[in-house]
């Protein structure tokens, strides 16, 4: 049984943990907020354990369920502790004051920046940034499995994450190389803006973006 | 009854014309290829007329159903002939050799470039770039109306296009100001790449991107 380490104990950590337990993984939640982490681990039940960021990573896969602004520090803190791992970047580097711009410079993406920080010593896969935490609990929307878009330069690493996604009841959609994260992140600037804008009051962080049919 | 002028006589012109006729508009197809234009007009039947690009624009709305690379010349050719119109940019400035990059520089979009060419003398609305021509004929996917994402800086112009979209049986999704076209176009680099890639052989220019539920 594989172990998935999730750094972070917020809503996305919770949603991804629920899906990974569904995929019959062990889940380890590493959260700075000890109480929030304990509460989440208790809620998740059998298969879930807690710890603190900086503790060594069990298993091969680590999901960074932390804000874009915190990734750099976390990666530097781990140093060589992430070597050889598959690092999943789920972030949306969106300026939430206005939902009008990305925090990344044009022509790059959070996932590519994470890969650069890791200097090739770990494989970065972009995933889960296009799903909202609330929809992950159910795993379905309008009777269909959620789409989870993936991007990454290691086909092997992407295959591992694809299998976890599929095993958790969702549909993996392979968008291509890691640089496609630019479009995956741009897409969410738009979709997040729809949730807060006046034009569509019924979009309320409960939507899902899906390729049909 | 309002008239919608469509410049272009290709697949997207056809799909949009079908929807606009459904919305009980008169449709005028201005195509460089006279024979293709005549064939399309005959196929469309009552409510459709043909002509050549450069002819004066009937009605208030003109849809540029031409490739990104041809927009500049067309707009310059029209000169003041587009003044006061609502110009709909449907283009996807995607490098189709590889589907790996946009042809626009980072930090802008085809729609913004079109607006700049028009120098404020016409209102540009981005629309229809996120739907494939084949899906427009039916107007629905998996039993649901297609989503048509819109962006534009004139609320009034966007309202006109939204009404046409809704009247044609599709769902308008207002993504915000014209600069959101960057994300709408980026999204389609990704979605078009999915159609040609090996990862998803069942995606074959027949998919639709939808916000669910």
């Amino acid at each position: 049984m594989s172990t998935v380490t999730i750094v972070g104990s917020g809503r996305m950590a919770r949603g991804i943990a629920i899906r990974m337990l569904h995929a019959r993984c062990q889940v380890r939640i590493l959260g700075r907020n000890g109480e929030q982490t304990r509460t989440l681990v208790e809620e998740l039940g059998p298969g879930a354990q807690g710890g603190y960021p900086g503790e060594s990573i069990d298993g091969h896969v680590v999901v960074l369920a932390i804000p874009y602004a915190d990734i750099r520090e976390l990666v530097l803190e781990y140093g060589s502790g992430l070597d050889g791992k598959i690092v999943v970047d789920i972030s949306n580097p969106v300026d939430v004051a206005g939902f009008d711009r990305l925090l990344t410079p044009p022509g790059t993406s959070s996932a590519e920046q994470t890969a650069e920080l890791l200097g090739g010593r770990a494989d970065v896969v972009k995933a889960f940034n296009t799903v909202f935490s609330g929809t992950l609990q159910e795993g379905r929307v309008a009777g269909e499995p959620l789409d989870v878009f993936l991007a990454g330069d290691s086909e092997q690493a992407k295959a591992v994450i694809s299998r976890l996604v599929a095993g958790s009841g969702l549909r993996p959609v392979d968008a291509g190389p890691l640089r496609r994260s630019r479009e995956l992140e741009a897409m969410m600037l738009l979709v997040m803006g729809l949730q807060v804008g006046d034009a569509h009051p019924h979009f309320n962080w409960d939507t899902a973006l899906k390729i049909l049919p």
Side-chain angles (χ1 to χ4, degrees), chain A:
Chain A
M1 195 182 294
S2 56
T3 297
V4 173
T5 300
I6 299 174
V7 182
S9 59
R11 287 185 300 250
M12 282 302 292
R14 178 175 180 275
I16 293 168
I18 290 171
R19 297 318 323 154
M20 293 301 105
L21 289 170
H22 189 87
R24 310 185 73 79
C25 294
Q26 299 277 355
V27 168
R28 192 139 167 270
I29 307 281
L30 305 183
R32 283 205 199 287
N33 182 328
E35 192 174 328
Q36 185 174 285
T37 304
R38 270 192 299 280
T39 306
L40 175 55
V41 165
E42 276 169 31
E43 187 207 341
L44 293 170
Q49 287 179 289
Y52 286 94
E55 290 182 18
S56 73
I57 306 290
D58 290 347
H60 203 50
V61 174
V62 54
V63 178
L64 306 185
I66 57 178
Y68 166 67
D70 297 344
I71 293 177
R72 186 183 169 79
E73 193 189 323
L74 190 279
V75 169
L76 294 178
E77 182 183 342
Y78 264 100
S80 62
L82 297 172
D83 288 7
K85 304 293 182 187
I86 299 174
V87 175
V88 181
D89 181 318
I90 73 161
S91 73
N92 280 310
V94 169
D95 184 351
V96 295
F99 293 89
D100 193 32
R101 66 182 194 100
L102 292 167
L103 297 167
T104 43
T108 187
S109 60
S110 170
E112 288 167 286
Q113 290 178 334
T114 302
E116 208 179 311
L117 279 172
L118 287 161
R121 293 171 288 109
D123 291 322
V124 175
V125 174
K126 186 83 195 180
F128 292 110
N129 77 302
T130 60
V131 290
F132 292 137
S133 58
T135 61
L136 280 168
Q137 176 152 2
E138 186 70 21
R140 299 178 77 83
V141 62
E144 296 285 336
L146 289 181
D147 280 353
V148 174
F149 292 86
L150 308 171
D153 290 336
S154 161
E155 293 302 324
Q156 212 175 342
K158 221 160 38 172
V160 169
I161 305 303
S162 282
R163 276 195 299 273
L164 288 174
V165 166
S168 79
L170 314 181
R171 178 172 75 158
V173 177
D174 182 354
L178 195 63
R179 59 185 174 277
R180 276 295 85 68
S181 304
R182 299 170 201 175
E183 288 75 38
L184 289 174
E185 295 172 12
M187 206 152 91
M188 290 309 287
L189 167 59
L190 188 143
V191 173
M192 291 168 85
L194 288 175
Q195 313 298 312
V196 296
D198 297 332
H200 299 280
H202 54 295
F203 292 160
N204 194 22
W205 303 98
D206 50 2
T207 69
L209 199 62
K210 196 158 165 69
I211 305 261
L212 294 174

